[in-house]
Amino acid sequence: MSKQELEVVGQDADCCPGLSAAPLDEDQAADLAKVFKALGDPVRLRLMSMIASRGQGGEVCVCELTPAFDLSQPTISHHLKLLRQAGLIDCERRGTWVYYWVLPGVLDRLAAFLSTTQPAGVTA
């Protein structure tokens, strides 16, 4: 596994046009690659799903995430750190526990990027 550091991806809505709207430029492709790399691991994808399933503004305690996996707590924390660095989630420490939530608009931007628009009257 690569040990390179992931930087937080920008949160601007103009990050990336839809996949079929126009080809990505080099910077857009690099930013999206960081996000997809973070989601490319099954554990991180499940963690993201568990956090996102709480809905808009919902949060989940790490104490609820860790028992769902046959992994150590430091390993779960590492995966959560990579999701944070990719700009997908954020967190806050409250006492001994850390609470995570999906950053606003992240899932909508990914969905918009992956969606394709079809001309009127064309069906798949």
Side-chain angles (χ1 to χ4, degrees), residues 7-104:
E7 295 177 20
V8 175
V9 175
Q11 298 298 316
D12 59 341
D14 298 328
C15 163
C16 309
L19 187 58
S20 64
L24 294 173
D25 66 29
E26 197 171 320
D27 291 335
Q28 291 171 328
D31 285 345
L32 275 170
K34 292 174 188 174
V35 171
F36 287 119
K37 182 176 180 179
L39 291 174
D41 181 86
V43 171
R44 290 192 291 272
L45 192 56
R46 282 188 59 208
L47 284 167
M48 184 69 181
S49 173
M50 291 172 73
I51 297 167
S53 69
R54 295 298 172 109
Q56 182 90 12
E59 55 188 31
V60 61
C61 178
V62 71
C63 62
E64 298 173 54
L65 297 171
T66 305
F69 298 90
D70 190 24
L71 298 169
S72 68
Q73 182 275 323
T75 301
I76 296 297
S77 291
H78 170 74
H79 285 295
L80 290 165
K81 179 180 93 172
L82 293 177
L83 290 172
R84 276 194 335 270
Q85 290 174 334
L88 297 169
I89 63 173
D90 203 358
C91 66
E92 176 181 74
R93 178 174 293 280
R94 297 182 200 149
T96 58
W97 299 113
V98 179
Y99 291 80
Y100 292 88
W101 61 88
V102 175
L103 288 170

